[in-house]
């Protein structure tokens, strides 16, 4: 590997000495494809590459390489100073405003970056930079401007009826945040009301299309709106729907973490009754997952919360019957846990409340029955740390507006990845190379626009095919928008390349493009889309895969989806496949049978054993065949 690096560097040096910068650049980019090498070796390739690009006059590409080098700890101080001098003096004057803005932001000059973004016509990006610089008045003006643009034409009923409602909601939320910072509660309140209405409209739209992950984003923003505005009803609506979607997608540990987050917020707002209801639901859900210690923990939390509800109502001077009902709910929860000492204490407390005499007497007798009893031992614990996952709330109110504004530009998406120091070097290197490829097919940004059609000759088509492949290698959610844009190209090779790229992008959103590929008029594109369907199996892929089986009129496409479903080891997928074996068309039954014979999930085996005796003879035969193929006695 070191010999290869030395060979290409020397070849590039000789070409550059002759003034043949194209050959020098080609040699260096060729060896830069070795993205697994050490950082010092990689930097030794990028330094001459940056120089060759600059001398050729390709300022955007040189600047892109410079971005990577500026974040490298291995660049000698003299090299960093020279690079900064070159970029500041010559290149920054020739690159588009958007590249200038990114360069300034990476150097810490955020306010100047905001001005450059505004010059480029990228209002959302400019507003975000203004926020980071603490220029809230300027940011508010920009968000207000964007809100006007996104308001658009509406139906007679006042509904947008499409995803534009989502982006309009985000702009309104950002406007509300800035108005609050500027001390304008009236505008903040008005924008919040508009944002909530638009988010609910957008969530309904996304769920009607089966895009629950986009609806999830809507509800996450709703939670944040409630947090910032102190409106618990919005927080609760957001969390309840987030939990519902996570449960439907079988993301069980995420769901439990969201239960815990919702509980914490409810307790912070002293909404103890809502918190107790959430704790009960969390306990039941954990029990269904056989997480018994977690279930017990949530049940104990529920009992304490009902006790808190009673204390709160007594303090408020509410009718004693309300506190009585809360304490009875706590007693039920504690009784189920075998905590009989506490049950007796609560009955005694009820007997001393200002209630109807016969009820007080009843509670006094009940308290005596628990005299001298002992509590059962409890095994209660929160979700273990090894099952927890990062559920940090992404700032989609910024991220998704930037994506919308970039209009599917691969160059801009890769710039975001390249300049993100939190990402591994491997990802940043691949983003660098992909951005250089994108320059060949994406026109230079002009004011107010990122994307145009770009060239359409054979060389550009080949570059787009290569771009799709490079985007897929990044395996990041951020590449989906550029791939969606590429799929709108008329060249069949490009659309096939996009479908091939989708095979390695395990996101529910990938199915949006794959489904478009299944409906393509070109049979070769449809064939590649079917391959993508068969590759896209992961726990929360059940819903889009089942939707394809139900809706597709193509037997090969349904077969691909059924084979993918056989790899989804969930109860829901197992029941769906059993239904196909019982009632599906012969060709679908065969696809499900063959898929299930080749997988190793346990959920279908459990269901097959439970259903074997009551199934029709032909289904029994299929189930025994599947079990035998897996080496399990029927």
């Amino acid at each position: 590997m070191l010999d290869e690096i030395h060979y290409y560097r020397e070849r590039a040096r000789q070409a550059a000495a002759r003034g043949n910068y194209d050959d020098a650049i080609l040699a260096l980019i060729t060896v830069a494809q070795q993205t697994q090498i050490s950082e010092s070796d990689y930097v030794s390739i990028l330094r001459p590459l940056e120089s060759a690009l600059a001398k050729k006059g390709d300022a955007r590409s040189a600047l892109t390489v410079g971005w990577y080098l500026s974040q490298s700890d291995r660049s000698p101080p003299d090299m960093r100073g020279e690079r900064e001098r070159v970029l500041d003096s010559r290149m920054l004057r020739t690159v588009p405003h958007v590249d200038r803005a990114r360069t300034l932001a990476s150097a810490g000059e955020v306010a100047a970056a905001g001005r450059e973004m505004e010059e480029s016509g990228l209002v959302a990006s400019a507003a975000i930079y203004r926020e980071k610089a603490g220029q809230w008045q300027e940011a508010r003006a920009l968000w207000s401007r964007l809100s006007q643009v996104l308001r658009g034409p509406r139906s007679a009923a006042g509904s947008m009826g499409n995803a534009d409602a989502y982006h309009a909601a985000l702009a309104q939320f950002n406007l509300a945040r800035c108005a609050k910072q500027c001390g304008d509660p009236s505008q903040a309140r008005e924008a919040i009301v508009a944002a909530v209405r638009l988010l609910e409209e957008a969530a309904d739209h996304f769920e009607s299309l089966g895009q629950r992950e986009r609806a999830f984003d809507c509800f996450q923003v709703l939670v944040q709106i409630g947090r910032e505005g102190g409106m618990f009803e919005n927080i609760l609506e957001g969390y309840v729907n987030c939990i519902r979607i996570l449960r439907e997608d079988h993301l069980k540990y995420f769901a439990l973490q969201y239960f815990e987050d919702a509980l914490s917020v409810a307790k912070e707002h002293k909404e103890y009754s809502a918190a107790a209801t959430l704790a009960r639901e969390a306990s039941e859900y954990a029990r269904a997952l056989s997480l018994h210690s977690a279930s017990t923990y949530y049940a104990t939390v529920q009992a304490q919360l009902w006790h808190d509800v009673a204390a709160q109502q007594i303090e408020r001077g509410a009718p004693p019957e309300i506190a009585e009902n809360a304490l009875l709910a706590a007693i039920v929860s504690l009784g189920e846990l075998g905590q009989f000492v506490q049950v007796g204490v609560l009955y005694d407390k009820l007997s001393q409340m200002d209630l109807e005499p016969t009820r007080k007497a009843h509670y006094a007798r009940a308290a005596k029955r628990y005299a001298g009893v002992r509590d059962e031992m409890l095994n209660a614990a929160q979700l273990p740390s090894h099952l927890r996952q990062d559920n940090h709330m992404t700032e989609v109110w910024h991220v998704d507006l930037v994506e919308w504004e970039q209009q599917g530009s691969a160059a801009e998406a890769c710039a975001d990845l390249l300049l993100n120091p939190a990402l591994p070097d491997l990802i940043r290197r691949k983003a660098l190379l992909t951005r250089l490829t994108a320059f060949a097919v994406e026109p230079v940004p002009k004011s107010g626009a990122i994307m145009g059609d770009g060239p359409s000759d054979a060389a550009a088509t080949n570059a787009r095919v290569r771009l799709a492949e490079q985007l897929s290698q990044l395996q990041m959610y951020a590449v989906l928008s550029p791939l969606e844009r590429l799929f709108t190209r008329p060249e069949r090779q490009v659309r096939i390349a996009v479908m091939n790229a989708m095979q390695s992008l395990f996101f529910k959103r990938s199915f949006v493009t794959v489904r478009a590929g299944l409906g393509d008029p070109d049979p070769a594109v449809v064939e590649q889309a079917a391959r993508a369907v068969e590759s896209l199996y992961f726990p929360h892929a059940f819903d889009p895969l089942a939707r394809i089986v139900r809706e597709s009129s193509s037997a090969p496409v349904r077969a691909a989806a059924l084979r993918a479903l056989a790899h989804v080891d969930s109860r829901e997928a197992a029941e769906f496949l059993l239904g196909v074996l019982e009632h599906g068309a012969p060709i679908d039954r065969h696809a499900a049978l063959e898929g299930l014979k080749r997988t190793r999930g346990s959920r279908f085996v459990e269901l097959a054993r439970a259903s074997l005796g009551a199934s029709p003879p032909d289904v029994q035969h299929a189930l025994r065949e599947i079990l035998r193929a897996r080496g399990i006695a029927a």
Side-chain angles (χ1 to χ4, degrees):
M1 180 64 70
L2 291 177
D3 289 343
E4 184 180 4
I5 293 171
H6 178 76
Y7 167 76
Y8 277 105
R9 277 207 316 256
E10 180 60 22
R11 179 174 161 183
R13 187 192 65 78
Q14 293 176 8
R18 297 191 304 270
N20 189 347
Y21 298 117
D22 285 335
D23 280 358
I25 291 165
L26 178 61
L28 292 166
I29 287 181
T30 298
V31 72
Q33 306 294 327
Q34 306 297 330
T35 52
Q36 301 282 359
I37 61 178
S38 71
E39 179 73 352
S40 58
D41 288 332
Y42 206 74
V43 166
S44 74
I45 297 166
L46 295 188
R47 286 178 194 154
L49 175 60
E50 179 193 26
S51 177
L53 288 166
K55 290 176 180 177
K56 181 188 174 185
D58 188 350
R60 290 197 81 194
S61 297
L63 185 62
T64 297
V65 176
W67 288 343
Y68 185 96
L69 289 171
S70 67
Q71 296 186 18
S72 172
D73 294 333
R74 294 172 177 81
S75 295
D78 59 330
M79 290 295 296
R80 291 201 298 271
E82 175 65 16
R83 181 177 310 112
E84 290 168 5
R85 183 189 65 77
V86 171
L87 296 181
D88 287 347
S89 63
R90 182 160 49 88
M91 292 187 188
L92 280 184
R93 290 199 298 268
T94 60
V95 297
H97 289 289
V98 63
D99 292 348
R100 213 175 302 169
R102 291 184 185 280
T103 306
L104 291 167
S106 65
E109 299 181 34
V110 184
R115 289 193 295 273
E116 291 292 341
M117 279 294 187
E118 194 168 352
E119 285 291 329
S120 75
L122 300 178
V123 179
S125 299
I128 292 167
Y129 281 132
R130 295 289 195 180
E131 285 187 22
K132 290 178 179 177
Q135 297 176 332
W136 295 103
Q137 288 287 3
E138 292 84 349
R140 176 167 74 153
L142 290 167
W143 289 126
S144 179
R145 198 166 108 201
L146 185 60
S147 296
Q148 294 293 326
V149 171
L150 286 167
R151 184 171 296 172
R154 303 176 69 83
S155 69
S159 172
M160 288 185 176
N162 54 44
D164 288 344
Y166 176 61
H167 297 116
L170 299 185
Q172 289 286 347
F173 176 47
N174 287 317
L175 175 58
R177 291 171 52 253
C178 291
K180 182 180 178 182
Q181 289 287 339
C182 295
D184 189 345
S186 177
Q187 186 183 42
R189 186 165 50 252
E190 181 181 341
I192 283 292
V193 170
V196 169
R197 175 178 54 78
L198 289 166
L199 282 171
E200 291 173 343
E201 182 179 323
D204 287 344
H205 169 73
F206 288 135
E207 292 211 62
S208 70
L209 297 178
Q211 296 178 22
R212 285 202 298 249
E213 71 283 1
R214 303 300 305 279
F216 181 83
D217 289 339
C218 295
F219 294 124
Q220 276 198 311
V221 178
L222 196 57
V223 169
Q224 191 64 22
I225 285 175
R227 283 182 179 276
E228 297 208 4
M231 295 174 289
F232 180 72
E233 61 273 17
N234 290 332
I235 297 175
L236 185 61
E237 180 185 356
Y239 268 123
V240 165
N241 282 288
C242 282
I243 291 166
R244 171 178 60 81
I245 291 171
L246 291 169
R247 291 177 64 170
E248 289 172 354
D249 284 344
H250 309 288
L251 296 172
K252 50 191 177 183
Y253 303 128
F254 273 121
L256 285 173
Q257 286 175 245
Y258 268 75
F259 266 122
E260 290 185 8
D261 291 345
L263 275 168
S264 296
V265 175
K267 286 190 280 189
E268 286 171 13
H269 285 76
K270 297 186 178 180
E271 296 285 350
Y272 298 127
S273 181
T277 302
L278 286 166
R280 185 187 70 242
E281 292 178 0
S283 177
E284 292 171 353
Y285 183 56
R287 188 183 306 118
L289 299 174
S290 298
L291 297 171
H292 299 297
S293 61
S295 176
T296 301
Y297 167 77
Y298 295 125
T300 61
V301 170
Q302 178 198 173
Q304 180 58 51
L305 285 166
W306 284 125
H307 192 278
D308 293 341
V309 170
Q312 184 183 59
Q313 295 302 322
I314 291 170
E315 183 181 345
R316 290 175 176 174
E321 288 77 11
I322 298 177
E324 176 191 17
N325 290 334
L327 289 177
L328 287 172
I331 285 170
V332 170
S333 181
L334 290 167
E336 291 174 350
L337 295 170
Q339 300 303 288
F340 303 118
V341 172
Q342 294 183 61
V343 168
V345 169
L346 290 183
Y347 271 129
D348 183 64
K349 188 171 184 176
L350 281 167
S351 71
Q352 299 174 38
M353 290 176 62
D354 185 18
L355 298 169
E356 197 271 327
T358 57
R359 292 215 302 278
K360 290 177 64 174
H362 168 72
Y363 294 140
R365 290 193 299 272
K368 291 178 181 178
R369 288 201 295 269
Y370 289 91
V373 297
R374 297 168 61 181
D375 288 337
E376 294 181 6
M377 292 292 293
L378 288 180
N379 177 20
Q382 288 181 272
L383 192 66
S385 58
H386 70 278
L387 296 180
R388 292 180 178 273
Q389 303 175 58
D390 179 19
N391 65 342
H392 173 70
M393 188 175 290
T394 304
E395 292 183 348
V396 293
W397 46 93
H398 282 170
V399 173
D400 284 0
L401 278 175
V402 169
E403 181 194 285
W404 166 81
E405 193 169 58
Q406 289 176 354
Q407 303 172 41
S409 167
E412 296 309 310
C414 289
D416 289 333
L417 299 175
L418 172 58
L419 288 167
N420 185 347
L423 292 177
D425 288 341
L426 177 63
I427 296 297
R428 294 176 52 249
R429 293 172 185 179
K430 290 183 177 181
L432 162 63
L433 297 171
T434 308
R435 179 171 162 88
L436 296 181
T437 300
F439 286 155
V441 295
E442 293 181 2
V444 176
K446 297 179 181 178
S447 180
I450 285 286
M451 289 290 290
D453 290 334
S456 57
D457 55 16
T461 297
N462 291 335
R464 288 188 176 94
V465 169
R466 186 167 67 255
L467 178 60
E469 179 183 353
Q470 288 177 304
L471 287 168
S472 71
Q473 290 174 5
L474 286 164
Q475 295 188 333
M476 301 286 287
Y477 184 85
V479 308
L480 291 176
S481 181
L483 285 168
E484 290 163 2
R485 173 79 185 210
L486 278 174
F487 188 73
T488 64
R489 295 292 308 180
E491 302 90 351
R492 72 193 297 262
Q493 304 99 303
V494 176
R495 301 201 305 281
I496 290 172
V498 171
M499 289 299 105
N500 186 55
M502 287 296 168
Q503 291 183 234
S504 59
L505 297 171
F506 300 104
F507 306 101
K508 284 186 71 177
R509 181 172 166 181
S510 300
F511 283 98
V512 175
T513 306
V514 170
R515 285 172 63 86
L518 294 174
D520 196 274
D522 191 314
V525 177
V526 175
E527 183 179 352
Q528 189 60 51
R531 292 195 188 101
V533 167
E534 190 164 352
S535 300
L536 290 174
Y537 53 84
F538 42 93
H540 49 295
F542 169 77
D543 188 60
L545 287 170
R547 194 180 179 110
I548 289 171
V549 174
R550 289 193 296 264
E551 296 178 1
S552 178
S553 59
S554 167
V557 168
R558 294 197 306 275
L562 287 166
R563 287 192 292 269
L565 278 167
H567 289 277
V568 179
D569 191 23
S570 70
R571 178 79 181 185
E572 195 173 14
E575 290 174 350
F576 185 88
L577 290 166
L578 181 60
V580 171
L581 291 175
E582 290 176 341
H583 309 295
I587 194 167
D588 294 341
R589 291 203 299 269
H590 177 75
L593 177 64
E594 293 304 310
L596 287 165
K597 285 163 66 176
R598 293 197 297 268
T599 57
R600 289 292 177 265
S602 62
R603 293 303 180 95
F604 188 83
V605 171
E606 295 169 2
L607 184 61
R609 284 173 161 169
S611 307
L612 195 59
S615 299
D618 57 335
V619 177
Q620 287 186 30
H621 177 76
L623 295 177
R624 289 193 176 95
E625 191 175 342
I626 292 165
L627 295 174
R628 280 197 301 271
R630 297 194 188 188
I632 300 170

